[in-house]
Amino acid sequence: MDRIRVLVVEDSLSVRKRLVEVLTSDATFEVIGEAENGQQAIEMCRALRPNVVTLDMHLPVMDGVSATEHIMGHFPTPILIVSSSTNRGDLFKTYDALAAGAVDVLEKPTGEEPDGSWEKKFLSAVRLVSKIRVITHVRARLGGAVRAESVPAMPVAQSELGRSVIAVGASTGGPGALVEVLRRIPRGLPATILIVLHIDEPFSSAFAEWLGSQTAHAVHYATGGEAVAPSGKGRVFMAPPGSHLIARGGRLVLSSEAERHSCRPSVDVLFESLALECARQTVACLLTGMGRDGASGLLALRRAGAFTIAQDEASSVIYGMPREAALLGAAESILSLAEIGPAVTRATAKLGSSA
């Protein structure tokens, strides 16, 4: 069986050698190159065509975000971010790289992990990311990220709008997908938008703020007690790291109950609560992601009268969660990523006019 060809990009010599040592300890992998800055990463990726790149964010000459944009814009390659940066500014850069096409992020070892645990997690992550089918991202060719204000929102007459709930679940590939969906939903739509995203701590702490900075919407982590369907202008709430988000008695509730599908927050938990609470006023979307979290919840919502959408295979980074939903018959519509925001807006307007 062919070995997985890995390019390691890390400016710290000691960290780079450690990553190479871990990779070469497993016969599955072949380290075909080592780069110490972003420009070298681009040149070596172009010349060597690895199966996967491990990439630090803090790099000299060209940083990890710029390197990701160029690689994904010109010779798409699965990228695993390996970073120890968890302050607000560094987290924003990590989210930028994920939105530009990097597949996943893993924290560098802290030295406090049990023997062999981080190494096992690292090898598993590299193996998994190497198998992802990645697509071309045009950000580098357009000269950087497209800002939210440059993406026109679909006009909707205020008389057509009404109160409702929009629920969105995503996992791997989710940061970029969520940006795309929210940019195509008009600001001020009088609907509460609820989001569950699988992203490991400590990288999740500033994601809501970053998502708001990329779109026209103010995004906040739910704290519990917020009204599920407030009147007036809508709001966007995310499940906070480590807590399930639940709709109960007209309010949002946070729960530390057991993980579902090894996830907390879980998309299924939110979707199932909405199926019991307000299904006929809900539009639910299941986006790109690995596994099956959200599929059975989407089915429960559809059976209870919600309008349900699953992302299609062609536009998904990983066609896992939406595929499971499609197989269950949980999705009333299967749409490309670019179509989901406008479809949600139209469905919300329809619900409002019939309320």
Side-chain angles (χ1 to χ4, degrees):
M1 185 177 69
D2 292 339
R3 291 195 289 175
I4 298 170
R5 294 157 45 83
V6 187
L7 172 62
V8 177
V9 185
E10 167 63 59
D11 64 322
S12 166
L13 178 60
S14 59
V15 174
R16 190 167 71 248
K17 294 303 181 185
R18 177 60 179 149
L19 297 180
V20 171
E21 179 185 13
V22 174
L23 288 165
T24 54
S25 70
D26 188 321
T28 304
F29 302 97
E30 177 187 4
V31 177
I32 61 170
E34 300 176 36
E36 61 184 24
N37 63 62
Q39 187 61 51
Q40 284 184 354
I42 290 171
E43 294 169 356
M44 295 180 77
C45 196
R46 180 191 294 114
L48 300 176
R49 297 302 171 101
N51 300 123
V52 60
V53 176
T54 70
L55 180 70
D56 188 22
M57 285 289 94
H58 279 286
L59 297 169
V61 183
M62 178 184 289
D63 67 14
V65 176
S66 298
T68 298
E69 289 179 344
H70 192 94
I71 290 169
M72 299 310 297
H74 295 276
F75 26 91
T77 307
I79 295 174
L80 173 67
I81 300 168
V82 182
S83 176
S84 60
S85 301
T86 57
N87 63 54
R88 177 181 175 277
D90 291 336
L91 286 173
F92 271 39
K93 290 180 181 178
T94 297
Y95 306 145
D96 285 341
L98 290 169
V103 175
D104 207 351
V105 57
L106 179 69
E107 186 179 17
K108 288 180 181 177
T110 62
E112 300 178 358
E113 301 87 357
D115 287 347
S117 64
W118 183 89
E119 290 80 0
K120 182 178 180 180
K121 189 174 183 179
F122 174 59
L123 291 172
S124 177
V126 175
R127 184 178 293 106
L128 184 62
V129 168
S130 73
K131 298 176 181 178
I132 304 303
R133 171 193 57 83
V134 292
I135 59 177
T136 300
H137 287 247
V138 298
R139 289 172 51 152
R141 297 182 182 182
L142 295 177
V146 179
R147 302 304 300 172
E149 58 268 23
S150 68
V151 180
M154 187 182 76
V156 180
Q158 288 300 310
S159 62
E160 296 177 351
L161 301 179
R163 216 169 66 171
S164 64
V165 176
I166 299 167
V168 185
S171 185
T172 309
L178 288 170
V179 169
E180 176 74 9
V181 170
L182 287 184
R183 282 180 176 174
R184 295 176 182 272
I185 297 176
R187 182 180 181 181
L189 189 74
T192 301
I193 302 176
L194 305 176
I195 298 172
V196 172
L197 172 69
H198 300 160
I199 183 169
D200 290 341
E201 297 183 75
F203 297 102
S204 53
S205 61
F207 185 83
E209 183 184 357
W210 174 85
L211 186 58
S213 76
Q214 300 297 304
T215 72
H217 301 271
V219 183
H220 304 280
Y221 282 121
T223 58
E226 299 91 344
V228 174
S231 59
K233 292 185 177 180
R235 295 180 294 174
V236 184
F237 295 113
M238 289 193 67
S243 295
H244 294 304
L245 182 62
I246 297 171
R248 182 183 297 156
R251 298 283 173 179
L252 296 179
V253 176
L254 302 182
S255 169
S256 59
E257 294 176 5
E259 296 178 347
R260 183 84 68 87
H261 308 298
S262 301
C263 299
R264 190 174 60 226
S266 161
V267 183
D268 268 337
V269 170
L270 173 61
F271 282 5
E272 289 169 5
S273 72
L274 291 171
L276 296 173
E277 182 81 12
C278 54
R280 292 187 178 276
Q281 290 299 309
T282 297
V283 182
C285 313
L286 192 57
L287 306 181
T288 174
M290 188 175 304
R292 56 191 177 92
D293 187 31
S296 64
L298 197 71
L299 179 61
L301 275 166
R302 185 176 187 186
R303 286 174 171 170
F307 176 55
T308 58
I309 299 170
Q311 187 176 349
D312 69 0
E313 181 175 7
S315 65
S316 294
V317 173
I318 294 186
Y319 192 53
M321 289 158 44
R323 176 180 181 273
E324 292 298 320
L327 290 173
L328 289 176
E332 185 172 341
S333 293
I334 297 176
L335 302 174
S336 71
L337 187 59
E339 295 172 318
I340 291 175
V344 165
T345 302
R346 291 193 298 272
T348 304
K350 183 177 180 181
L351 285 172
S353 65
S354 62

